[in-house]
Amino acid sequence: VLDAGVIQQVGTPTELYDRPVNRFIANFVGSINLLPGSVDTAMQFTSPLLGTRAILTNTTLIGDADLVLRPHALHLVAPDAPLTDTLIWIDAAVKEREFLGEFMRYRVETAGHALTVDVPHFGSAGHAPGAAVKLGIDPARARFRAPAIANFQDGGSWLPGAVITVPGKKGLALIVDEQ
């Protein structure tokens, strides 16, 4: 995938969707939510929205990170609904809802963050704008990305997914596949 003549990522459609290397790619093949924060060496993610949570995922990223959540990987339920312990639940409010055929797209707000949530249209009770809801995040479906285009770790090794542009070589960029 090219952006302004620069290769951003090379991969199968599934790889582009499941492991985008940057925001451009993530939005190119779908919608995303980004939660800024940081990952520590104990593999805990800290953000203003979630506090500190152990989120097990296959990341080698340590330091500043964005938690990447696809809208269909989030869950919405009424505040009094029974909650599963496999999801991280936070309070939210519905700001907008849009019928898109097979699913309803909700824009919810929680602690000053706006998130997009896609819920299957059939079998869903629906949540009206203004309604209080519980927003569920599945840690198994969360991914991380570095907020900057190129990132170093451990004294200078490139993180997987980093896009490295080569100075003086217009249009030449490298994408790190593995460390």
Side-chain angles (χ1 to χ4, degrees), residues 27-134:
N27 280 317
F28 184 80
V29 293
S31 301
I32 58 166
N33 295 293
L34 294 177
L35 297 179
S38 63
V39 177
D40 65 22
T41 56
M43 299 315 297
Q44 295 185 66
F45 178 70
T46 301
S47 78
L49 178 61
L50 298 177
T52 298
R53 307 279 183 148
I55 297 182
L56 303 175
T57 187
N58 56 351
T59 185
T60 57
L61 181 61
I62 305 297
D64 290 342
D66 290 328
L67 181 62
V68 179
L69 301 163
R70 293 283 183 187
H72 66 272
L74 300 172
H75 303 267
L76 285 184
V77 297
D80 57 351
L83 305 177
T84 64
D85 60 359
T86 58
L87 301 180
I88 298 169
W89 294 99
I90 54 178
D91 294 323
V94 174
K95 293 300 177 190
E96 300 173 24
R97 106 178 144 180
E98 179 181 8
F99 175 72
L100 295 174
E102 66 187 86
F103 61 91
M104 294 289 280
R105 173 158 288 169
Y106 292 94
R107 290 186 182 58
V108 300
E109 189 171 295
T110 179
H113 292 275
L115 300 172
T116 301
V117 182
D118 291 342
V119 176
H121 148 93
F122 291 106
S124 172
H127 307 283
V133 292
K134 291 283 189 182

Side-chain angles (χ1 to χ4, degrees), residues 19-22 58-62 144-146 148-149 151-153 157-164 175-179:
R19 291 184 304 281
V21 297
N22 59 36
N58 56 351
T59 185
T60 57
L61 181 61
I62 305 297
F144 290 97
R145 76 166 189 88
I149 289 179
N151 301 280
F152 287 100
Q153 180 184 9
S157 62
W158 293 99
L159 291 175
V163 176
I164 307 163
I175 294 134
V176 177
D177 186 25
E178 296 182 26
Q179 281 185 307

